[in-house]
């Protein structure tokens, strides 16, 4: 007898709603099926080619030293850290992967704020084409931003999260501006009596904080959605089509990806992209090797060099960041500031793309971590990645 949805997942499909889809246990399914809850736009691969997971039992059974009680092996740690999918590349070769019982190698998983880093890659390609100039004011591209916080900041301020913005990234607050933001993206249900906003119209209401732009690092997801609005405005193209044409197809992605969109099709570039773990690892490998693949320069080498070597450490420290004590932030990517030159993209609920050039290692972790942030677990994961990067494969 064929198993039911409830047999497979422990809850009925009707139990998953816009009000609870980002909470456990529903997130174990919804993070791999966001298209069933929110409108989306496809990011098409040239020729989708479904993949098969490799047997990694020896790797998963490897004993590791962690500060996590009871996590004696790789598998123990991955289970402890709510892992859905995990991939390790060494010098471009898939050497290990893992998928939880509720996950799949071909599942297109929500990568949350790693979407910011993907969007910045598209921006970097357009910059090299002369379509975008990071030193221009946002109002050069979006005159209607004049009355908002973005009225006097540069595109570079937005890229590096140094916009003076009066906004709190309060993931668990159901009433404030962040809840309005999520309603505008169609990620939350409508509030009775509340005004209906599109994503772009919401962005234009955000006020400036008291200090000047270009100061401390201040993480704010609306910045990255604004990048998507600018990209679509200056190109006259849909972001999903641009990502397919400029990155996804030339890179040789094996599966289509997609991005969630609002009521008028504006992409959620700050957190709405969904892709397989292996295709995300391919993005990391593309950057690690200088941006070329299949005989074509896809991501400009100069942009990669800028992203991996620049970024203001003092601005990072002034932003009161305890993560990455030597770190920097540049073009929507995190730099470790360590001797290994590691850099990464991070999303809430445990999404990671970690690149260690010193060992030619790329690691992807997709997760359904119940706590969206969990800074203590984040530090455990960093240490775990360094352990994996040092392994012989």
């Amino acid at each position: 007898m064929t198993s039911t949805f409830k047999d497979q997942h422990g809850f009925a499909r009707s139990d998953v709603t816009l009000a609870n889809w980002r909470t456990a246990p529903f997130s174990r399914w919804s993070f791999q099926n966001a298209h069933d809850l929110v409108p989306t736009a496809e990011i098409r691969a040239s020729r989708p080619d479904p993949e098969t997971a490799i047997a990694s039992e020896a790797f998963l059974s490897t004993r590791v030293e962690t500060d996590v009680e009871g996590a004696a092996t790789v598998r123990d740690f991955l289970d402890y850290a709510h892992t859905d999918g995990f991939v390790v590349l060494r010098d471009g070769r898939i050497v290990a992967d893992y998928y939880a019982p509720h996950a799949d190698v071909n599942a297109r998983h929500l990568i949350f704020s790693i979407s910011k880093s993907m969007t910045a890659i598209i921006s970097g390609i357009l910059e090299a084409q002369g379509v975008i100039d990071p030193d221009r004011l946002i109002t050069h591209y979006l005159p209607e931003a004049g009355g908002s916080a973005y009225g006097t900041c540069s595109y570079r301020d937005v890229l590096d999260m140094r916009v003076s913005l009066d906004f709190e990234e309060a993931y668990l607050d159901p009433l404030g501006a962040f809840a309005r933001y999520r309603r505008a993206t169609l990620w939350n249900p409508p509030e009775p009596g509340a005004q209906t906003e599109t994503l772009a119209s919401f962005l234009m209401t955000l006020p400036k904080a008291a200090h000047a732009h270009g100061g401390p690092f201040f993480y704010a997801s609306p910045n990255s959605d604004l990048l998507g609005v600018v990209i679509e405005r200056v190109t006259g193209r849909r972001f999903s089509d641009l990502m397919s044409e400029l990155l996804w197809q030339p890179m040789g992605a094996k599966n289509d990806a997609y991005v969630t969109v609002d009521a008028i099709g504006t992409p959620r570039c700050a957190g709405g992209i969904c892709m397989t773990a292996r295709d995300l690892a391919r993005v990391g490998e593309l950057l690690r090797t200088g941006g070329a693949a299949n005989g074509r320069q896809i991501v400009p080498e100069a942009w990669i060099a800028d992203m991996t070597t620049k970024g203001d450490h003092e601005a990072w420290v002034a932003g009161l960041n305890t993560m990455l004590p030597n770190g920097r932030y540049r073009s929507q990517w995190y730099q470790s500031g360590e001797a290994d030159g590691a850099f990464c993209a991070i999303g809430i609920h445990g999404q990671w793309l970690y690149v260690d050039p010193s060992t030619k290692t790329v690691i992807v972790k997709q997760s359904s971590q119940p706590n969206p942030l969990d800074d203590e677990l984040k530090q455990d994961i960093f240490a775990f990645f360094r352990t994996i990067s040092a392994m012989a494969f």
Side-chain angles (χ1 to χ4, degrees), residues 107-290:
R108 297 178 294 174
H109 195 291
L110 194 60
I111 59 172
F112 286 99
S113 288
I114 297 177
S115 304
K116 296 174 170 67
S117 308
M118 299 299 107
T119 300
I121 292 174
I122 305 307
S123 176
I125 296 171
L126 294 173
E127 179 185 338
Q129 294 177 354
V131 176
I132 288 174
D133 179 354
D135 294 327
R136 290 274 196 178
L137 293 179
I138 287 296
T139 49
H140 175 75
Y141 302 112
L142 298 175
E144 66 269 32
S148 72
Y150 299 110
T152 53
C153 73
S154 70
Y155 191 89
R156 169 56 64 192
D157 290 330
V158 178
L159 278 172
D160 291 351
M161 294 288 184
R162 298 179 70 182
V163 176
S164 173
L165 189 65
D166 185 5
F167 181 81
E168 183 181 0
E169 196 96 349
Y171 298 106
L172 303 178
D173 180 4
L175 301 175
F178 196 79
R180 269 182 59 212
Y181 174 40
R182 282 199 159 150
R183 288 196 297 272
T185 65
L186 305 184
W187 277 36
N188 278 14
E191 191 72 20
Q195 66 183 107
T196 300
E197 297 175 283
T198 64
L199 177 54
S201 66
F202 168 79
L203 296 175
M204 297 303 101
T205 69
L206 294 176
K208 184 179 177 295
H211 62 276
H213 297 301
F217 171 84
F218 179 71
Y219 187 90
S221 287
N223 293 343
S224 308
D225 285 317
L226 187 81
L227 296 177
V229 173
V230 171
I231 286 170
E232 290 201 333
R233 176 69 62 85
V234 299
T235 62
R237 305 278 306 281
R238 297 195 75 190
F239 175 83
S240 53
D241 293 335
L242 282 170
M243 184 166 169
S244 174
E245 177 186 309
L246 299 178
L247 177 64
W248 218 235
Q249 294 189 15
M251 181 188 75
K254 298 292 187 183
N255 276 278
D256 294 339
Y258 64 87
V259 60
T260 70
V261 298
D262 75 354
I264 60 171
T266 304
R268 179 83 211 280
C269 287
I273 298 178
C274 303
M275 63 180 65
T276 69
R278 285 192 177 180
D279 279 337
L280 181 53
R282 290 182 178 102
V283 175
E285 180 66 9
L286 179 66
L287 298 183
R288 185 191 73 80
T289 55

Side-chain angles (χ1 to χ4, degrees), residues 354-372:
Y354 180 87
V355 181
D356 182 348
S358 71
T359 60
K360 301 181 179 180
T361 302
V362 174
I363 301 172
V364 165
K365 183 180 185 300
Q366 295 179 329
S367 316
S368 47
Q369 178 184 306
N371 183 334

